[in-house]
């Protein structure tokens, strides 16, 4: 009877340890690989217009960026393409769809995704350069806050839509 009791304790201990190891590995992997969560922000649904023609780049669609990134000057690190997939014209309307808090295990950042409302690329969801890892300079926001309600779009790049 004593042998069965010890065997039973041992099996429960092994089950507990295996479960604990699995949960620990999942936690470590999520920290290493990074994760993203959508954050409510005062700029959600806001409309902006581009102040100049800008390039539209196809990107990796990962924790750092969605499928497209706006930018100009240099090729972003987040693409294998050697040239942009298109151009977003001056005065194109964009609506803030979501603010995403991301992280790469050692650093947290906010990303901003907007929907193109008119023009050739209407309907596409695009990231704008922020303080997110690997985003090109210059960034299109003022400051590098992690508070989604403190985000300020740089008016050198995007202006509020006129009502």
């Amino acid at each position: 009877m004593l042998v069965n009791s010890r065997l039973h304790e041992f099996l429960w201990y092994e089950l507990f340890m295996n479960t604990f190891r699995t949960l620990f590995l999942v936690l470590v992997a999520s920290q290493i690989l990074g994760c993203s969560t959508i954050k409510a922000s005062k700029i959600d649904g806001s409309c902006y217009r581009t102040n100049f023609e800008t390039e539209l780049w196809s990107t990796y669609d990962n924790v750092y960026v969605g499928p497209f990134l706006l930018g100009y000057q240099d090729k972003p690190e987040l693409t294998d393409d050697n040239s942009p997939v298109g151009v977003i014209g001056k005065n194109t309307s964009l609506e803030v769809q979501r603010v995403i808090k991301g992280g790469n295990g050692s650093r947290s950042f906010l990303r901003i995704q907007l929907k193109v409302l008119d023009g050739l690329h209407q309907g596409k969801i695009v990231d704008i350069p922020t303080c997110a890892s690997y985003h090109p300079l210059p960034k299109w926001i003022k400051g590098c806050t992690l508070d989604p309600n403190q985000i300020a779009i740089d008016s050198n790049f995007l202006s509020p839509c006129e009502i």
Side-chain angles (χ1 to χ4, degrees), residues 27-36 63-64 101-109 133-134:
L27 176 65
V28 168
S30 70
Q31 290 300 311
I32 291 171
L33 297 175
C35 53
S36 299
V63 71
Y64 304 107
K101 182 177 181 189
N104 61 7
S106 63
R107 184 170 172 236
S108 296
F109 47 81
S133 302
Y134 305 109

mmCIF file with all atom_site columns, all heavy atoms in Angstrom, residues 27-36 63-64 101-109 133-134:
data_model
loop_
_atom_site.group_PDB
_atom_site.id
_atom_site.type_symbol
_atom_site.label_atom_id
_atom_site.label_alt_id
_atom_site.label_comp_id
_atom_site.label_asym_id
_atom_site.label_entity_id
_atom_site.label_seq_id
_atom_site.pdbx_PDB_ins_code
_atom_site.Cartn_x
_atom_site.Cartn_y
_atom_site.Cartn_z
_atom_site.occupancy
_atom_site.B_iso_or_equiv
_atom_site.pdbx_formal_charge
_atom_site.auth_seq_id
_atom_site.auth_comp_id
_atom_site.auth_asym_id
_atom_site.auth_atom_id
_atom_site.pdbx_PDB_model_num
ATOM 1   N N   . LEU A 1 27  ? 5.463  31.284 -21.607 1.00 0.00 ? 27  LEU A N   1
ATOM 2   C CA  . LEU A 1 27  ? 5.700  32.645 -21.142 1.00 0.00 ? 27  LEU A CA  1
ATOM 3   C C   . LEU A 1 27  ? 7.011  33.195 -21.706 1.00 0.00 ? 27  LEU A C   1
ATOM 4   O O   . LEU A 1 27  ? 7.055  34.312 -22.221 1.00 0.00 ? 27  LEU A O   1
ATOM 5   C CB  . LEU A 1 27  ? 5.723  32.693 -19.613 1.00 0.00 ? 27  LEU A CB  1
ATOM 6   C CG  . LEU A 1 27  ? 6.047  34.047 -18.980 1.00 0.00 ? 27  LEU A CG  1
ATOM 7   C CD1 . LEU A 1 27  ? 4.953  35.047 -19.314 1.00 0.00 ? 27  LEU A CD1 1
ATOM 8   C CD2 . LEU A 1 27  ? 6.204  33.905 -17.493 1.00 0.00 ? 27  LEU A CD2 1
ATOM 9   N N   . VAL A 1 28  ? 8.065  32.424 -21.639 1.00 0.00 ? 28  VAL A N   1
ATOM 10  C CA  . VAL A 1 28  ? 9.365  32.867 -22.151 1.00 0.00 ? 28  VAL A CA  1
ATOM 11  C C   . VAL A 1 28  ? 9.292  33.086 -23.662 1.00 0.00 ? 28  VAL A C   1
ATOM 12  O O   . VAL A 1 28  ? 9.769  34.096 -24.177 1.00 0.00 ? 28  VAL A O   1
ATOM 13  C CB  . VAL A 1 28  ? 10.477 31.846 -21.791 1.00 0.00 ? 28  VAL A CB  1
ATOM 14  C CG1 . VAL A 1 28  ? 11.754 32.138 -22.552 1.00 0.00 ? 28  VAL A CG1 1
ATOM 15  C CG2 . VAL A 1 28  ? 10.726 31.864 -20.292 1.00 0.00 ? 28  VAL A CG2 1
ATOM 16  N N   . ALA A 1 29  ? 8.674  32.172 -24.386 1.00 0.00 ? 29  ALA A N   1
ATOM 17  C CA  . ALA A 1 29  ? 8.572  32.313 -25.842 1.00 0.00 ? 29  ALA A CA  1
ATOM 18  C C   . ALA A 1 29  ? 7.784  33.557 -26.212 1.00 0.00 ? 29  ALA A C   1
ATOM 19  O O   . ALA A 1 29  ? 8.155  34.275 -27.147 1.00 0.00 ? 29  ALA A O   1
ATOM 20  C CB  . ALA A 1 29  ? 7.920  31.073 -26.453 1.00 0.00 ? 29  ALA A CB  1
ATOM 21  N N   . SER A 1 30  ? 6.704  33.848 -25.501 1.00 0.00 ? 30  SER A N   1
ATOM 22  C CA  . SER A 1 30  ? 5.915  35.042 -25.831 1.00 0.00 ? 30  SER A CA  1
ATOM 23  C C   . SER A 1 30  ? 6.716  36.311 -25.569 1.00 0.00 ? 30  SER A C   1
ATOM 24  O O   . SER A 1 30  ? 6.574  37.294 -26.283 1.00 0.00 ? 30  SER A O   1
ATOM 25  C CB  . SER A 1 30  ? 4.594  35.058 -25.066 1.00 0.00 ? 30  SER A CB  1
ATOM 26  O OG  . SER A 1 30  ? 4.813  35.297 -23.693 1.00 0.00 ? 30  SER A OG  1
ATOM 27  N N   . GLN A 1 31  ? 7.574  36.305 -24.567 1.00 0.00 ? 31  GLN A N   1
ATOM 28  C CA  . GLN A 1 31  ? 8.410  37.473 -24.294 1.00 0.00 ? 31  GLN A CA  1
ATOM 29  C C   . GLN A 1 31  ? 9.505  37.628 -25.338 1.00 0.00 ? 31  GLN A C   1
ATOM 30  O O   . GLN A 1 31  ? 9.836  38.739 -25.745 1.00 0.00 ? 31  GLN A O   1
ATOM 31  C CB  . GLN A 1 31  ? 9.031  37.385 -22.893 1.00 0.00 ? 31  GLN A CB  1
ATOM 32  C CG  . GLN A 1 31  ? 8.032  37.552 -21.786 1.00 0.00 ? 31  GLN A CG  1
ATOM 33  C CD  . GLN A 1 31  ? 7.339  38.893 -21.857 1.00 0.00 ? 31  GLN A CD  1
ATOM 34  O OE1 . GLN A 1 31  ? 7.983  39.926 -21.981 1.00 0.00 ? 31  GLN A OE1 1
ATOM 35  N NE2 . GLN A 1 31  ? 6.021  38.895 -21.802 1.00 0.00 ? 31  GLN A NE2 1
ATOM 36  N N   . ILE A 1 32  ? 10.061 36.528 -25.787 1.00 0.00 ? 32  ILE A N   1
ATOM 37  C CA  . ILE A 1 32  ? 11.126 36.573 -26.791 1.00 0.00 ? 32  ILE A CA  1
ATOM 38  C C   . ILE A 1 32  ? 10.562 36.968 -28.151 1.00 0.00 ? 32  ILE A C   1
ATOM 39  O O   . ILE A 1 32  ? 11.114 37.805 -28.854 1.00 0.00 ? 32  ILE A O   1
ATOM 40  C CB  . ILE A 1 32  ? 11.852 35.218 -26.880 1.00 0.00 ? 32  ILE A CB  1
ATOM 41  C CG1 . ILE A 1 32  ? 12.664 34.987 -25.607 1.00 0.00 ? 32  ILE A CG1 1
ATOM 42  C CG2 . ILE A 1 32  ? 12.764 35.152 -28.108 1.00 0.00 ? 32  ILE A CG2 1
ATOM 43  C CD1 . ILE A 1 32  ? 13.249 33.608 -25.492 1.00 0.00 ? 32  ILE A CD1 1
ATOM 44  N N   . LEU A 1 33  ? 9.463  36.365 -28.547 1.00 0.00 ? 33  LEU A N   1
ATOM 45  C CA  . LEU A 1 33  ? 8.893  36.607 -29.862 1.00 0.00 ? 33  LEU A CA  1
ATOM 46  C C   . LEU A 1 33  ? 8.110  37.913 -29.933 1.00 0.00 ? 33  LEU A C   1
ATOM 47  O O   . LEU A 1 33  ? 7.869  38.432 -31.004 1.00 0.00 ? 33  LEU A O   1
ATOM 48  C CB  . LEU A 1 33  ? 7.985  35.440 -30.266 1.00 0.00 ? 33  LEU A CB  1
ATOM 49  C CG  . LEU A 1 33  ? 8.691  34.093 -30.416 1.00 0.00 ? 33  LEU A CG  1
ATOM 50  C CD1 . LEU A 1 33  ? 7.671  33.000 -30.687 1.00 0.00 ? 33  LEU A CD1 1
ATOM 51  C CD2 . LEU A 1 33  ? 9.735  34.151 -31.513 1.00 0.00 ? 33  LEU A CD2 1
ATOM 52  N N   . GLY A 1 34  ? 7.733  38.425 -28.797 1.00 0.00 ? 34  GLY A N   1
ATOM 53  C CA  . GLY A 1 34  ? 6.957  39.661 -28.771 1.00 0.00 ? 34  GLY A CA  1
ATOM 54  C C   . GLY A 1 34  ? 5.476  39.370 -28.904 1.00 0.00 ? 34  GLY A C   1
ATOM 55  O O   . GLY A 1 34  ? 5.060  38.298 -29.318 1.00 0.00 ? 34  GLY A O   1
ATOM 56  N N   . CYS A 1 35  ? 4.688  40.350 -28.528 1.00 0.00 ? 35  CYS A N   1
ATOM 57  C CA  . CYS A 1 35  ? 3.247  40.189 -28.642 1.00 0.00 ? 35  CYS A CA  1
ATOM 58  C C   . CYS A 1 35  ? 2.636  41.567 -28.844 1.00 0.00 ? 35  CYS A C   1
ATOM 59  O O   . CYS A 1 35  ? 3.251  42.579 -28.557 1.00 0.00 ? 35  CYS A O   1
ATOM 60  C CB  . CYS A 1 35  ? 2.680  39.510 -27.399 1.00 0.00 ? 35  CYS A CB  1
ATOM 61  S SG  . CYS A 1 35  ? 3.144  40.297 -25.851 1.00 0.00 ? 35  CYS A SG  1
ATOM 62  N N   . SER A 1 36  ? 1.429  41.589 -29.341 1.00 0.00 ? 36  SER A N   1
ATOM 63  C CA  . SER A 1 36  ? 0.746  42.846 -29.619 1.00 0.00 ? 36  SER A CA  1
ATOM 64  C C   . SER A 1 36  ? -0.649 42.823 -29.033 1.00 0.00 ? 36  SER A C   1
ATOM 65  O O   . SER A 1 36  ? -1.304 41.789 -29.036 1.00 0.00 ? 36  SER A O   1
ATOM 66  C CB  . SER A 1 36  ? 0.628  43.066 -31.128 1.00 0.00 ? 36  SER A CB  1
ATOM 67  O OG  . SER A 1 36  ? 1.888  43.144 -31.722 1.00 0.00 ? 36  SER A OG  1
ATOM 68  N N   . VAL A 1 63  ? 5.006  41.621 -35.523 1.00 0.00 ? 63  VAL A N   1
ATOM 69  C CA  . VAL A 1 63  ? 4.767  42.411 -34.315 1.00 0.00 ? 63  VAL A CA  1
ATOM 70  C C   . VAL A 1 63  ? 5.185  43.876 -34.492 1.00 0.00 ? 63  VAL A C   1
ATOM 71  O O   . VAL A 1 63  ? 4.676  44.754 -33.817 1.00 0.00 ? 63  VAL A O   1
ATOM 72  C CB  . VAL A 1 63  ? 5.488  41.767 -33.097 1.00 0.00 ? 63  VAL A CB  1
ATOM 73  C CG1 . VAL A 1 63  ? 6.996  41.920 -33.195 1.00 0.00 ? 63  VAL A CG1 1
ATOM 74  C CG2 . VAL A 1 63  ? 4.977  42.346 -31.789 1.00 0.00 ? 63  VAL A CG2 1
ATOM 75  N N   . TYR A 1 64  ? 6.086  44.166 -35.416 1.00 0.00 ? 64  TYR A N   1
ATOM 76  C CA  . TYR A 1 64  ? 6.589  45.523 -35.608 1.00 0.00 ? 64  TYR A CA  1
ATOM 77  C C   . TYR A 1 64  ? 5.763  46.354 -36.576 1.00 0.00 ? 64  TYR A C   1
ATOM 78  O O   . TYR A 1 64  ? 5.791  47.576 -36.527 1.00 0.00 ? 64  TYR A O   1
ATOM 79  C CB  . TYR A 1 64  ? 8.033  45.489 -36.127 1.00 0.00 ? 64  TYR A CB  1
ATOM 80  C CG  . TYR A 1 64  ? 8.960  44.715 -35.234 1.00 0.00 ? 64  TYR A CG  1
ATOM 81  C CD1 . TYR A 1 64  ? 9.441  43.470 -35.609 1.00 0.00 ? 64  TYR A CD1 1
ATOM 82  C CD2 . TYR A 1 64  ? 9.337  45.218 -33.996 1.00 0.00 ? 64  TYR A CD2 1
ATOM 83  C CE1 . TYR A 1 64  ? 10.278 42.759 -34.777 1.00 0.00 ? 64  TYR A CE1 1
ATOM 84  C CE2 . TYR A 1 64  ? 10.173 44.514 -33.164 1.00 0.00 ? 64  TYR A CE2 1
ATOM 85  C CZ  . TYR A 1 64  ? 10.643 43.279 -33.561 1.00 0.00 ? 64  TYR A CZ  1
ATOM 86  O OH  . TYR A 1 64  ? 11.465 42.560 -32.735 1.00 0.00 ? 64  TYR A OH  1
ATOM 87  N N   . LYS A 1 101 ? -0.159 48.175 -29.009 1.00 0.00 ? 101 LYS A N   1
ATOM 88  C CA  . LYS A 1 101 ? 1.018  48.119 -28.157 1.00 0.00 ? 101 LYS A CA  1
ATOM 89  C C   . LYS A 1 101 ? 1.735  46.817 -28.477 1.00 0.00 ? 101 LYS A C   1
ATOM 90  O O   . LYS A 1 101 ? 1.166  45.734 -28.400 1.00 0.00 ? 101 LYS A O   1
ATOM 91  C CB  . LYS A 1 101 ? 0.647  48.172 -26.683 1.00 0.00 ? 101 LYS A CB  1
ATOM 92  C CG  . LYS A 1 101 ? 1.871  48.171 -25.784 1.00 0.00 ? 101 LYS A CG  1
ATOM 93  C CD  . LYS A 1 101 ? 1.511  48.295 -24.336 1.00 0.00 ? 101 LYS A CD  1
ATOM 94  C CE  . LYS A 1 101 ? 2.782  48.309 -23.500 1.00 0.00 ? 101 LYS A CE  1
ATOM 95  N NZ  . LYS A 1 101 ? 2.471  48.226 -22.079 1.00 0.00 ? 101 LYS A NZ  1
ATOM 96  N N   . GLY A 1 102 ? 2.968  46.947 -28.871 1.00 0.00 ? 102 GLY A N   1
ATOM 97  C CA  . GLY A 1 102 ? 3.774  45.780 -29.197 1.00 0.00 ? 102 GLY A CA  1
ATOM 98  C C   . GLY A 1 102 ? 5.007  45.725 -28.327 1.00 0.00 ? 102 GLY A C   1
ATOM 99  O O   . GLY A 1 102 ? 5.316  46.652 -27.588 1.00 0.00 ? 102 GLY A O   1
ATOM 100 N N   . GLY A 1 103 ? 5.703  44.631 -28.429 1.00 0.00 ? 103 GLY A N   1
ATOM 101 C CA  . GLY A 1 103 ? 6.943  44.465 -27.688 1.00 0.00 ? 103 GLY A CA  1
ATOM 102 C C   . GLY A 1 103 ? 7.775  43.381 -28.323 1.00 0.00 ? 103 GLY A C   1
ATOM 103 O O   . GLY A 1 103 ? 7.258  42.477 -28.967 1.00 0.00 ? 103 GLY A O   1
ATOM 104 N N   . ASN A 1 104 ? 9.073  43.494 -28.152 1.00 0.00 ? 104 ASN A N   1
ATOM 105 C CA  . ASN A 1 104 ? 9.961  42.486 -28.725 1.00 0.00 ? 104 ASN A CA  1
ATOM 106 C C   . ASN A 1 104 ? 10.724 41.723 -27.652 1.00 0.00 ? 104 ASN A C   1
ATOM 107 O O   . ASN A 1 104 ? 11.775 41.166 -27.911 1.00 0.00 ? 104 ASN A O   1
ATOM 108 C CB  . ASN A 1 104 ? 10.935 43.137 -29.718 1.00 0.00 ? 104 ASN A CB  1
ATOM 109 C CG  . ASN A 1 104 ? 11.813 44.175 -29.069 1.00 0.00 ? 104 ASN A CG  1
ATOM 110 O OD1 . ASN A 1 104 ? 11.809 44.353 -27.852 1.00 0.00 ? 104 ASN A OD1 1
ATOM 111 N ND2 . ASN A 1 104 ? 12.580 44.874 -29.872 1.00 0.00 ? 104 ASN A ND2 1
ATOM 112 N N   . GLY A 1 105 ? 10.220 41.718 -26.431 1.00 0.00 ? 105 GLY A N   1
ATOM 113 C CA  . GLY A 1 105 ? 10.867 41.006 -25.344 1.00 0.00 ? 105 GLY A CA  1
ATOM 114 C C   . GLY A 1 105 ? 11.731 41.902 -24.486 1.00 0.00 ? 105 GLY A C   1
ATOM 115 O O   . GLY A 1 105 ? 11.869 41.685 -23.303 1.00 0.00 ? 105 GLY A O   1
ATOM 116 N N   . SER A 1 106 ? 12.309 42.936 -25.080 1.00 0.00 ? 106 SER A N   1
ATOM 117 C CA  . SER A 1 106 ? 13.151 43.842 -24.303 1.00 0.00 ? 106 SER A CA  1
ATOM 118 C C   . SER A 1 106 ? 12.648 45.284 -24.355 1.00 0.00 ? 106 SER A C   1
ATOM 119 O O   . SER A 1 106 ? 13.047 46.105 -23.560 1.00 0.00 ? 106 SER A O   1
ATOM 120 C CB  . SER A 1 106 ? 14.594 43.789 -24.807 1.00 0.00 ? 106 SER A CB  1
ATOM 121 O OG  . SER A 1 106 ? 14.663 44.232 -26.141 1.00 0.00 ? 106 SER A OG  1
ATOM 122 N N   . ARG A 1 107 ? 11.771 45.581 -25.310 1.00 0.00 ? 107 ARG A N   1
ATOM 123 C CA  . ARG A 1 107 ? 11.314 46.961 -25.486 1.00 0.00 ? 107 ARG A CA  1
ATOM 124 C C   . ARG A 1 107 ? 9.852  46.974 -25.909 1.00 0.00 ? 107 ARG A C   1
ATOM 125 O O   . ARG A 1 107 ? 9.446  46.201 -26.761 1.00 0.00 ? 107 ARG A O   1
ATOM 126 C CB  . ARG A 1 107 ? 12.169 47.626 -26.554 1.00 0.00 ? 107 ARG A CB  1
ATOM 127 C CG  . ARG A 1 107 ? 11.850 49.062 -26.761 1.00 0.00 ? 107 ARG A CG  1
ATOM 128 C CD  . ARG A 1 107 ? 12.875 49.740 -27.658 1.00 0.00 ? 107 ARG A CD  1
ATOM 129 N NE  . ARG A 1 107 ? 12.364 51.063 -27.952 1.00 0.00 ? 107 ARG A NE  1
ATOM 130 C CZ  . ARG A 1 107 ? 12.170 51.547 -29.162 1.00 0.00 ? 107 ARG A CZ  1
ATOM 131 N NH1 . ARG A 1 107 ? 12.507 50.839 -30.202 1.00 0.00 ? 107 ARG A NH1 1
ATOM 132 N NH2 . ARG A 1 107 ? 11.672 52.731 -29.331 1.00 0.00 ? 107 ARG A NH2 1
ATOM 133 N N   . SER A 1 108 ? 9.085  47.879 -25.332 1.00 0.00 ? 108 SER A N   1
ATOM 134 C CA  . SER A 1 108 ? 7.688  48.061 -25.726 1.00 0.00 ? 108 SER A CA  1
ATOM 135 C C   . SER A 1 108 ? 7.565  49.303 -26.589 1.00 0.00 ? 108 SER A C   1
ATOM 136 O O   . SER A 1 108 ? 8.379  50.216 -26.492 1.00 0.00 ? 108 SER A O   1
ATOM 137 C CB  . SER A 1 108 ? 6.800  48.210 -24.491 1.00 0.00 ? 108 SER A CB  1
ATOM 138 O OG  . SER A 1 108 ? 6.807  47.028 -23.734 1.00 0.00 ? 108 SER A OG  1
ATOM 139 N N   . PHE A 1 109 ? 6.529  49.332 -27.443 1.00 0.00 ? 109 PHE A N   1
ATOM 140 C CA  . PHE A 1 109 ? 6.317  50.462 -28.342 1.00 0.00 ? 109 PHE A CA  1
ATOM 141 C C   . PHE A 1 109 ? 4.866  50.488 -28.770 1.00 0.00 ? 109 PHE A C   1
ATOM 142 O O   . PHE A 1 109 ? 4.146  49.514 -28.598 1.00 0.00 ? 109 PHE A O   1
ATOM 143 C CB  . PHE A 1 109 ? 7.227  50.369 -29.574 1.00 0.00 ? 109 PHE A CB  1
ATOM 144 C CG  . PHE A 1 109 ? 7.239  49.007 -30.214 1.00 0.00 ? 109 PHE A CG  1
ATOM 145 C CD1 . PHE A 1 109 ? 6.239  48.611 -31.075 1.00 0.00 ? 109 PHE A CD1 1
ATOM 146 C CD2 . PHE A 1 109 ? 8.261  48.116 -29.933 1.00 0.00 ? 109 PHE A CD2 1
ATOM 147 C CE1 . PHE A 1 109 ? 6.243  47.357 -31.665 1.00 0.00 ? 109 PHE A CE1 1
ATOM 148 C CE2 . PHE A 1 109 ? 8.273  46.848 -30.518 1.00 0.00 ? 109 PHE A CE2 1
ATOM 149 C CZ  . PHE A 1 109 ? 7.267  46.472 -31.385 1.00 0.00 ? 109 PHE A CZ  1
ATOM 150 N N   . SER A 1 133 ? 10.212 49.443 -33.031 1.00 0.00 ? 133 SER A N   1
ATOM 151 C CA  . SER A 1 133 ? 11.483 48.908 -33.513 1.00 0.00 ? 133 SER A CA  1
ATOM 152 C C   . SER A 1 133 ? 11.453 48.734 -35.023 1.00 0.00 ? 133 SER A C   1
ATOM 153 O O   . SER A 1 133 ? 10.453 48.298 -35.580 1.00 0.00 ? 133 SER A O   1
ATOM 154 C CB  . SER A 1 133 ? 11.756 47.546 -32.862 1.00 0.00 ? 133 SER A CB  1
ATOM 155 O OG  . SER A 1 133 ? 11.785 47.672 -31.466 1.00 0.00 ? 133 SER A OG  1
ATOM 156 N N   . TYR A 1 134 ? 12.531 49.097 -35.661 1.00 0.00 ? 134 TYR A N   1
ATOM 157 C CA  . TYR A 1 134 ? 12.757 48.937 -37.097 1.00 0.00 ? 134 TYR A CA  1
ATOM 158 C C   . TYR A 1 134 ? 11.927 49.871 -37.974 1.00 0.00 ? 134 TYR A C   1
ATOM 159 O O   . TYR A 1 134 ? 11.998 49.771 -39.186 1.00 0.00 ? 134 TYR A O   1
ATOM 160 C CB  . TYR A 1 134 ? 12.566 47.483 -37.547 1.00 0.00 ? 134 TYR A CB  1
ATOM 161 C CG  . TYR A 1 134 ? 13.408 46.523 -36.775 1.00 0.00 ? 134 TYR A CG  1
ATOM 162 C CD1 . TYR A 1 134 ? 12.836 45.644 -35.869 1.00 0.00 ? 134 TYR A CD1 1
ATOM 163 C CD2 . TYR A 1 134 ? 14.786 46.509 -36.922 1.00 0.00 ? 134 TYR A CD2 1
ATOM 164 C CE1 . TYR A 1 134 ? 13.620 44.760 -35.138 1.00 0.00 ? 134 TYR A CE1 1
ATOM 165 C CE2 . TYR A 1 134 ? 15.577 45.635 -36.194 1.00 0.00 ? 134 TYR A CE2 1
ATOM 166 C CZ  . TYR A 1 134 ? 14.982 44.765 -35.299 1.00 0.00 ? 134 TYR A CZ  1
ATOM 167 O OH  . TYR A 1 134 ? 15.759 43.902 -34.587 1.00 0.00 ? 134 TYR A OH  1
#
